[in-house]
Amino acid sequence: MSLHRDRLEEFEQKLNEFAQNVLRPEHFIPSLQADLECRLREITIPVIEQLSRMAPFGMENPSPRLLVRDAELLDYRQMGKDGKHLKLTIRQDGSMIEAVAFGKGEVFNLLTPEARVDLVVEAAINEWNGQRKPQLFIQDISIPHLQVFDYRDARDPGTKIEELQKSLLTTSYCGAETMAVVSSRRADLLSVGHLERTSVWVYDQEQGISPGRSESDTGDAVTVKTLFVMELPESPEIWNNTLSSFGNLERVFLLHPRSSVDLLEAPSRDRFKQVYIFLRKYVGLSECDEERVIAEVMTRFGISRRMLYFILDIFVELDFIVRSEGRIEVNPTPSKRPLESARGYQALGLLAEMEQILLYEEVPQITEWITCQLQGVS
């Protein structure tokens, strides 16, 4: 059956209508078929020589493609003019091999030293100076786990985010609509206002996050794969709700400040006991100026003002002290509740843990912690 050219426009219209009803987003995702999954130790020179007997390779007889999962990334770098290509050194079960990805140099920006990679490769033999060794040519690459990128204490987080976004957008793996910025309401969100199509969110006590500007109203947090963290939330509950909202994260860029945050200690009975005994002796049963008490406790015990506020709030919750109009008074008949029963004490422990990890730990520990958090809220 032939189609007259006078009806080509009608045919195109009908074809588009059919596609709109049938095709789904997943149909537009390119797929690559691997012939065999194997371990690096199995990719040896004799095996590659056996595979080469199926040559010549071409359209009707493609080169065998191998799937390698969960390979450790030992080294990665760009090579060639303008860093157009990518070279990896990977290891698995003690076997180490070099892998080259032609035309995929931009993937360099998506890798961290801690990454473990899944690869679809074609195997070949590299001959140089009389030596022969296996070499892999990467057809596709995937990082099947969350990655954390450390830019904490960036001098200008807004400018840094713009720089990182431009770099990520050079890859086919990241679209602006899959990126988001999250911060507190105190942050200057205007500094990231120039990021086109990138949603901006702020921490919310009830929901975890809420739109930070009108453009975010049309955004969907579930589609976000790249998250830029400008500031930390005020509580672990907000952090967990935030992670729950961004349920499909692949990479997190940390840009929050550290130097401006007063240190919180993990709560301990001995520390609380020291402060309480001091208050009973220093304040006694009469009212005392709160600022004078705070200054004395900070000097004597080396406690930050922020930490001391938490301690005092917990003492109020337990009815150990009374705070009113800038004065502190010790309760002569305090309750007999155990310290650990105070909600503030429990919350302080979780907050101190969160800040200790996100402020001071190294990337591997942060990555493991966030991954556990994501699993817990999913």
Side-chain angles (χ1 to χ4, degrees), residues 5 102 124 132 195 296 308 363:
R5 59 184 175 184
F102 291 109
R132 304 174 79 227
L195 300 180
E296 188 68 28
L308 185 53
V363 168

PDB file of all heavy atoms in Angstrom, residues 5 102 124 132 195 296 308 363:
ATOM      1  N   ARG A   5       1.587  11.641  -1.602  1.00  0.00           N
ATOM      2  CA  ARG A   5       2.261  12.726  -0.899  1.00  0.00           C
ATOM      3  C   ARG A   5       1.318  13.849  -0.493  1.00  0.00           C
ATOM      4  O   ARG A   5       1.623  14.617   0.433  1.00  0.00           O
ATOM      5  CB  ARG A   5       3.397  13.289  -1.735  1.00  0.00           C
ATOM      6  CG  ARG A   5       3.007  13.828  -3.086  1.00  0.00           C
ATOM      7  CD  ARG A   5       4.248  14.254  -3.827  1.00  0.00           C
ATOM      8  NE  ARG A   5       3.959  14.682  -5.188  1.00  0.00           N
ATOM      9  CZ  ARG A   5       4.906  15.036  -6.061  1.00  0.00           C
ATOM     10  NH1 ARG A   5       6.174  14.983  -5.684  1.00  0.00           N
ATOM     11  NH2 ARG A   5       4.595  15.400  -7.282  1.00  0.00           N
ATOM     12  N   PHE A 102      35.146   7.115  25.456  1.00  0.00           N
ATOM     13  CA  PHE A 102      35.347   8.157  24.454  1.00  0.00           C
ATOM     14  C   PHE A 102      34.088   9.030  24.359  1.00  0.00           C
ATOM     15  O   PHE A 102      32.969   8.531  24.310  1.00  0.00           O
ATOM     16  CB  PHE A 102      35.670   7.542  23.094  1.00  0.00           C
ATOM     17  CG  PHE A 102      37.017   6.878  23.045  1.00  0.00           C
ATOM     18  CD1 PHE A 102      37.133   5.497  22.978  1.00  0.00           C
ATOM     19  CD2 PHE A 102      38.174   7.641  23.089  1.00  0.00           C
ATOM     20  CE1 PHE A 102      38.377   4.885  22.939  1.00  0.00           C
ATOM     21  CE2 PHE A 102      39.430   7.032  23.054  1.00  0.00           C
ATOM     22  CZ  PHE A 102      39.532   5.657  22.984  1.00  0.00           C
ATOM     23  N   ALA A 124      38.931  -5.320  25.033  1.00  0.00           N
ATOM     24  CA  ALA A 124      39.964  -5.393  24.006  1.00  0.00           C
ATOM     25  C   ALA A 124      41.302  -5.649  24.675  1.00  0.00           C
ATOM     26  O   ALA A 124      41.404  -5.676  25.908  1.00  0.00           O
ATOM     27  CB  ALA A 124      40.004  -4.096  23.195  1.00  0.00           C
ATOM     28  N   ARG A 132      51.022  -6.904  26.863  1.00  0.00           N
ATOM     29  CA  ARG A 132      49.613  -7.053  26.494  1.00  0.00           C
ATOM     30  C   ARG A 132      48.772  -7.148  27.774  1.00  0.00           C
ATOM     31  O   ARG A 132      49.092  -7.916  28.686  1.00  0.00           O
ATOM     32  CB  ARG A 132      49.401  -8.312  25.643  1.00  0.00           C
ATOM     33  CG  ARG A 132      50.263  -8.360  24.407  1.00  0.00           C
ATOM     34  CD  ARG A 132      50.113  -9.694  23.692  1.00  0.00           C
ATOM     35  NE  ARG A 132      48.892  -9.733  22.895  1.00  0.00           N
ATOM     36  CZ  ARG A 132      48.024 -10.736  22.887  1.00  0.00           C
ATOM     37  NH1 ARG A 132      48.223 -11.779  23.698  1.00  0.00           N
ATOM     38  NH2 ARG A 132      46.949 -10.713  22.118  1.00  0.00           N
ATOM     39  N   LEU A 195      19.256  31.164  38.781  1.00  0.00           N
ATOM     40  CA  LEU A 195      19.335  29.794  38.267  1.00  0.00           C
ATOM     41  C   LEU A 195      18.022  29.430  37.583  1.00  0.00           C
ATOM     42  O   LEU A 195      17.045  29.082  38.230  1.00  0.00           O
ATOM     43  CB  LEU A 195      19.644  28.812  39.407  1.00  0.00           C
ATOM     44  CG  LEU A 195      20.961  29.061  40.138  1.00  0.00           C
ATOM     45  CD1 LEU A 195      21.145  28.039  41.240  1.00  0.00           C
ATOM     46  CD2 LEU A 195      22.139  29.010  39.176  1.00  0.00           C
ATOM     47  N   GLU A 296      28.659  32.977  83.479  1.00  0.00           N
ATOM     48  CA  GLU A 296      29.443  32.229  84.472  1.00  0.00           C
ATOM     49  C   GLU A 296      29.554  30.756  84.084  1.00  0.00           C
ATOM     50  O   GLU A 296      30.632  30.160  84.182  1.00  0.00           O
ATOM     51  CB  GLU A 296      28.791  32.377  85.846  1.00  0.00           C
ATOM     52  CG  GLU A 296      29.602  31.804  86.984  1.00  0.00           C
ATOM     53  CD  GLU A 296      30.884  32.579  87.247  1.00  0.00           C
ATOM     54  OE1 GLU A 296      30.919  33.792  86.965  1.00  0.00           O
ATOM     55  OE2 GLU A 296      31.844  31.951  87.738  1.00  0.00           O
ATOM     56  N   LEU A 308      24.069  25.763  76.037  1.00  0.00           N
ATOM     57  CA  LEU A 308      23.539  26.083  77.358  1.00  0.00           C
ATOM     58  C   LEU A 308      22.045  26.402  77.296  1.00  0.00           C
ATOM     59  O   LEU A 308      21.288  26.044  78.207  1.00  0.00           O
ATOM     60  CB  LEU A 308      24.309  27.253  77.974  1.00  0.00           C
ATOM     61  CG  LEU A 308      23.951  27.619  79.403  1.00  0.00           C
ATOM     62  CD1 LEU A 308      24.030  26.401  80.330  1.00  0.00           C
ATOM     63  CD2 LEU A 308      24.856  28.730  79.915  1.00  0.00           C
ATOM     64  N   VAL A 363      33.361  12.802  53.867  1.00  0.00           N
ATOM     65  CA  VAL A 363      32.331  12.440  52.891  1.00  0.00           C
ATOM     66  C   VAL A 363      31.864  10.989  53.013  1.00  0.00           C
ATOM     67  O   VAL A 363      30.651  10.732  52.946  1.00  0.00           O
ATOM     68  CB  VAL A 363      32.827  12.740  51.459  1.00  0.00           C
ATOM     69  CG1 VAL A 363      31.899  12.110  50.415  1.00  0.00           C
ATOM     70  CG2 VAL A 363      32.879  14.250  51.237  1.00  0.00           C
TER      71      VAL A 363
END
